[in-house]
Amino acid sequence: MLGGAATAFVLASTLAACGGGGEDSATPVLNWYINPDSGGQATIAERCSEESDGAYRIAVSILPRESSAQREQLVRRLAANDASIDIVSLDPPYIPEFAQAGFLAPVPADLADRVTEGVVQSSIEGSTWNEELVTVPFWANTQLLWYRKSVAEAAGLDMTQPVTWEQIVQAAQDTGTIVSAQGRRAESLTVWFNALIESAGGSVIEENSTDPDQIQLGLTSPAGERAAEVMALVADSGVVGAAFSTSSEDTSATQFESEDGGFMVNWPFVWSRALSAVEAGTLDASVPDDYGWTIYPRVDAETPSAPPYGGINLGVGAFSDNVDLAYQATECITTDENQAEYMITNGNPASSVAVYDDPEVQEAFPMAATIRDSLELAAPRPQTPYYSEVSGGLQREYHPPSSASPETAQRAAELISAVLSGEQLL
Amino acid sequence: MTQTTLPPVEKTQPVSSPRGTISDRSRAERKLGWLLAGPAFLVMLLVTAYPILQAVYDSLFSYRLTDPENRAFNGLSNYWVVLTDPLWWQSVGVTVLITVVTVAVELVLGFALALVMVKALSSIRPVVRAAILIPYAVITVVSAFAWQFAFNIQTGFVNSWFAWLPGIASTTDWFGGTGTSLLVICLAEIWKTTPFISLLLLAGLAQVPEVLQEAAKVDGATRWQRLWKVTIPNMKAAIMVALLFRTLDAFRVFDSIYIMTAGANGTESVSFLAYRQTIARLEIGLGSAVSVLLFLAVVLIAFLFIKGFKVDLAQARGER
């Protein structure tokens, strides 16, 4: 049904363009499959079509909202050698799978140099598989530690210095406020767990391989056990609010906007969300004024944290008839001007470092510098063609988060290994 | 008092017709029948038999969609993996639980609603019937979202409306535990499909001959006796059809679970397991094996129902 809707959308937009523009019918149309946003990618597509001077025209098709559902649709189409997929907006964890399966056209070497210049490190890593750039970095996301200034002050917590999870929980307990994180059994749980284990100096995958039987997991390492410990500590602290085991990013944002809000780890969309709530009159203006932000909390006081990395990178379909034009288009889409405007209008942070010096960006996002610094520290989720197995296994065993323990690590490692070698269901 | 049904009507065979042969007329009728039903039969084969056979074939391979080169025949080992996995048996348990609970509750509720509809004043009957049918017209995904929002701790009204009940507070997390999650899933299913059962039962009720009811009344049977000895035995075929359809439906439950819990807290059904292996993991072989087992379970249910109820469907349709 979604496919039908997407097709209808493509048809509609194609017809509209033909009717209004009076363009040459020979202009190649590039189909760009985008994740849903506030219309920013469609605007960029229009602008790049115009700037191409008739070389190409970009038509956008909207994918499902959940990133796992986006992957499911794209994988099925690409496995069937769908030539209509020219450009895709890809969530980074799925990029190795696409690259390994040969679904992405190789990035031209000269273009690879140009599109990685001045780009934050985590975004380059997220676009790379087997030491080769396979996608074009577009926008890069990271989670910050958000806090209510009044609460931090009341708890006597110095937020100019890095803080640990223990300190946050303690401060929330002292002030009777809520620590918001994502405990739902979904991708967000993997995001949280991965940030914890990376912050503790470990990795979910210690020895990577394209052979599923050769993948070595790091869950039972000291860092893995420490990650489980911190997860359970937060979940059991009594300050995570009711229904922690079903709380999502949106739940967290709502909690943080309420009068009980204290601390929260979340993506920067919460800022635009609060401002629009003020505009709509459903939130008091004093609430976002009380928002503070800093780098993601540490697991150990001495080790810098490794915040979650997300965002979208652009891949070019291997079966596209217009690979060269499509790569040309990705270069237009990811210019600094487009990234800056996309950040301001849609709230999605840029992957280009220079954008953060843009005064307009700094005005719209007072936390721009923090986002940039966080992106430099951020660690991608495990890069493997078997990502959905790894993430699914983590979600099965580490949910509910209050149950996380060293035994959980053992069970999860066994489950994921068995699933990877095809001996168990997930 | 014994059960009372009308004796089956035997068609009288013409004495002159020779046994074992068919007349030209019936041969022509049979041919016409094939001509009329043939295209539909072909389409059915194409859209149901072909995918089923394809799934059976795929289930014998180790086959990942993103890695077609390494596709390898591995016999029945996918079935071995599925049947020895505790997760499979847990999913079967959850599916059976949901099926039994929802179908049982729906049958009782649906029957009560059918009785109301059949007894309701004839002037308002169409309105009652339409009103009762509304939930069935709602798309399952939409109804699942509606129930999820209702029970959600932040957006829901259930906690504040029913806080006076013991065990429910403003912090009750319905989707945080297995029992409560399954309760909400069952409620949503029951709300949505009771109308379907009641409509089928209404059709059955309408078929119960009024003469039998009157005869029973004359004999001094109470309402309760008439319900158990006259009404229900006479609508056995309708009950079976309703139960069979709903059981098969309930056994394939997917949407509500996908929306409400996404399988968390051990609420996965067999369909959900098939979805996860095939669509999320892209393990076509393993997923096909789960689907084939689900298909066999459905066939078994249908077989048991038809045997268990000893109802001849051809008779129910009035062919004999």
Side-chain angles (χ1 to χ4, degrees):
Chain A
M1 214 180 78
L2 280 168
T7 318
F9 186 82
V10 174
L11 279 177
S13 55
T14 313
L15 289 174
C18 287
E23 283 171 48
D24 186 0
S25 61
T27 310
V29 175
L30 302 175
N31 293 308
W32 180 14
Y33 284 78
I34 60 169
N35 56 310
D37 59 5
S38 313
Q41 290 175 100
T43 313
I44 294 177
E46 239 167 71
R47 187 175 313 137
C48 284
S49 303
E50 256 168 51
E51 284 173 12
S52 81
D53 227 7
Y56 57 78
R57 202 170 53 71
I58 305 175
V60 294
S61 298
I62 299 179
L63 291 166
R65 185 156 290 278
E66 290 284 326
S67 78
S68 52
Q70 293 164 15
R71 162 187 170 264
E72 283 163 13
Q73 186 179 135
L74 288 172
V75 162
R76 286 210 301 275
R77 282 162 169 259
L78 287 164
N81 297 5
D82 187 344
S84 78
I85 296 184
D86 297 305
I87 308 170
V88 281
S89 290
L90 278 177
D91 203 5
Y94 302 120
I95 287 173
E97 179 177 45
F98 280 63
Q100 185 68 28
F103 290 166
L104 301 174
V107 182
D110 54 327
L111 184 118
D113 292 340
R114 288 199 301 274
V115 294
T116 48
E117 211 185 295
V119 169
V120 289
Q121 188 52 34
S122 52
S123 192
I124 296 176
E125 277 170 38
S127 306
T128 306
W129 172 239
N130 264 348
E131 287 162 26
E132 236 174 273
L133 193 79
V134 290
T135 53
V136 175
F138 178 28
W139 62 273
N141 216 352
T142 186
Q143 287 197 359
L144 302 181
L145 168 60
W146 302 83
Y147 60 93
R148 298 292 278 269
K149 290 179 206 159
S150 53
V151 173
E153 201 179 320
L157 203 57
D158 178 11
M159 298 305 288
T160 59
Q161 297 300 312
V163 291
T164 62
W165 282 99
E166 273 97 349
Q167 281 176 297
I168 295 172
V169 166
Q170 188 63 50
Q173 282 168 343
D174 292 347
T175 51
T177 52
I178 293 179
V179 174
S180 302
Q182 292 84 47
R184 192 165 70 118
R185 189 170 126 182
E187 185 57 28
S188 52
L189 189 68
T190 309
V191 169
W192 185 26
F193 180 78
N194 189 64
L196 291 177
I197 191 171
E198 291 280 345
S199 298
S203 275
V204 173
I205 291 184
E206 274 181 351
E207 199 74 47
N208 211 346
S209 170
T210 52
D211 178 357
D213 288 331
Q214 301 298 317
I215 291 175
Q216 300 290 321
L217 299 167
L219 298 175
T220 49
S221 67
E225 290 183 0
R226 180 83 182 112
E229 197 180 295
V230 173
M231 191 174 244
L233 169 99
V234 174
D236 279 337
S237 62
V239 289
V240 285
F244 184 65
S245 69
T246 52
S247 73
S248 63
E249 288 97 336
D250 276 315
T251 323
S252 299
T254 310
Q255 276 178 347
F256 192 66
E257 282 167 9
S258 78
E259 52 189 28
D260 294 330
F263 300 88
M264 163 175 76
V265 286
N266 214 334
W267 311 98
F269 83 95
V270 297
W271 178 248
S272 344
R273 184 187 140 121
L275 292 186
S276 19
V278 169
E279 226 165 88
T282 53
L283 191 67
D284 197 82
S286 65
V287 176
D289 284 345
D290 195 28
Y291 275 26
W293 47 82
T294 182
I295 298 285
Y296 203 75
R298 291 181 172 191
V299 166
D300 292 310
E302 305 309 316
T303 325
S305 64
Y309 156 73
I312 288 290
N313 298 322
L314 299 178
V316 170
F319 314 104
S320 156
D321 296 324
N322 304 303
V323 170
D324 294 340
L325 281 179
Y327 270 118
Q328 215 175 305
T330 60
E331 225 179 330
C332 168
I333 292 166
T334 56
T335 56
D336 283 359
E337 298 78 57
N338 282 339
Q339 286 194 29
E341 198 195 303
Y342 192 51
M343 185 167 176
I344 294 166
T345 54
N346 282 240
N348 291 328
S351 63
S352 165
V353 180
V355 170
Y356 293 90
D357 299 328
D358 187 323
E360 279 178 58
V361 168
Q362 284 176 349
E363 199 197 320
F365 286 90
M367 69 293 299
T370 315
I371 295 175
R372 185 194 56 212
D373 296 345
S374 178
L375 279 171
E376 294 290 356
L377 287 171
R381 277 160 272 170
Q383 285 187 297
T384 161
Y386 301 95
Y387 180 74
S388 58
E389 272 88 347
V390 174
S391 180
L394 290 175
Q395 290 169 38
R396 174 175 291 285
E397 293 299 336
Y398 285 90
H399 187 270
S402 54
S403 71
S405 70
E407 291 84 67
T408 313
Q410 189 62 42
R411 277 206 310 276
E414 279 164 16
L415 172 70
I416 295 171
S417 301
V419 166
L420 284 176
S421 46
E423 288 157 10
Q424 233 175 311
L425 298 172
L426 189 62
Chain B
M1 188 174 155
T2 53
Q3 296 182 354
T4 312
T5 53
L6 285 179
V9 187
E10 285 290 332
K11 254 189 199 167
T12 45
Q13 297 289 330
V15 186
S16 59
S17 103
R19 286 197 161 271
T21 59
I22 46 172
S23 66
D24 285 349
R25 187 176 158 203
S26 56
R27 190 177 291 130
E29 270 183 0
R30 203 171 275 189
K31 197 177 159 202
L32 181 67
W34 272 107
L35 279 177
L36 290 175
F41 185 66
L42 271 182
V43 171
M44 280 289 284
L45 274 186
L46 211 67
V47 299
T48 61
Y50 166 67
I52 291 171
L53 291 176
Q54 176 79 47
V56 171
Y57 178 74
D58 280 338
S59 70
L60 304 175
F61 288 84
S62 150
Y63 174 27
R64 192 184 171 84
L65 191 63
T66 51
D67 192 12
E69 276 103 57
N70 287 328
R71 188 174 118 133
F73 181 79
N74 63 1
L76 295 175
S77 83
N78 282 334
Y79 291 94
W80 176 251
V81 168
V82 175
L83 292 173
T84 53
D85 198 310
L87 188 59
W88 159 261
W89 295 107
Q90 186 198 323
S91 308
V92 170
V94 167
T95 312
V96 169
L97 179 75
I98 293 178
T99 306
V100 170
V101 170
T102 56
V103 173
V105 175
E106 282 170 22
L107 184 66
V108 175
L109 270 182
F111 196 73
L113 283 174
L115 282 176
V116 169
M117 281 194 279
V118 91
K119 295 271 166 25
L121 293 171
S122 54
S123 55
I124 58 162
R125 194 182 299 161
V127 181
V128 174
R129 204 161 43 194
I132 285 176
L133 261 181
I134 287 175
Y136 192 59
V138 175
I139 298 162
T140 316
V141 172
V142 175
S143 102
F145 268 118
W147 281 81
Q148 194 214 17
F149 286 135
F151 281 84
N152 187 300
I153 197 162
Q154 283 186 339
T155 56
F157 57 83
V158 171
N159 281 354
S160 54
W161 280 16
F162 296 98
W164 51 273
L165 280 174
I168 300 181
S170 65
T171 53
T172 303
D173 182 13
W174 294 91
F175 300 109
T178 312
T180 46
S181 302
L182 286 176
L183 175 71
V184 182
I185 290 168
C186 286
L187 282 176
E189 290 285 307
I190 291 167
W191 174 79
K192 195 180 141 39
T193 44
T194 301
F196 173 72
I197 274 205
S198 71
L199 207 67
L200 287 182
L201 294 179
L202 179 65
L205 273 180
Q207 279 178 356
V208 177
E210 201 52 37
V211 281
L212 293 181
Q213 300 280 15
E214 276 167 22
K217 246 188 246 179
V218 171
D219 289 344
T222 61
R223 263 169 199 275
W224 192 245
Q225 280 172 327
R226 266 182 288 146
L227 175 69
W228 282 101
K229 304 292 182 183
V230 179
T231 311
I232 291 180
N234 273 293
M235 54 184 294
K236 206 164 118 184
I239 294 177
M240 202 230 33
V241 169
L243 275 185
L244 177 63
F245 280 19
R246 260 312 293 154
T247 308
L248 295 186
D249 241 18
F251 203 77
R252 294 174 298 146
V253 58
F254 176 81
D255 315 42
S256 298
I257 296 173
Y258 182 80
I259 301 295
M260 291 194 216
T261 65
N265 311 319
T267 53
E268 275 156 317
S269 66
V270 176
S271 301
F272 199 91
L273 208 58
Y275 156 79
R276 175 118 64 205
Q277 313 310 317
T278 319
I279 311 289
R281 283 184 63 192
L282 305 168
E283 291 287 355
I284 307 294
L286 208 51
S288 296
V290 176
S291 308
V292 169
L293 288 172
L294 174 62
F295 169 70
L296 291 179
V298 166
V299 170
L300 184 73
I301 291 174
F303 179 78
L304 289 180
F305 260 94
I306 292 170
K307 283 282 158 205
F309 267 83
K310 298 193 185 79
V311 173
D312 187 346
L313 280 176
Q315 187 189 358
R317 282 203 305 266
E319 281 174 8
R320 275 204 283 129

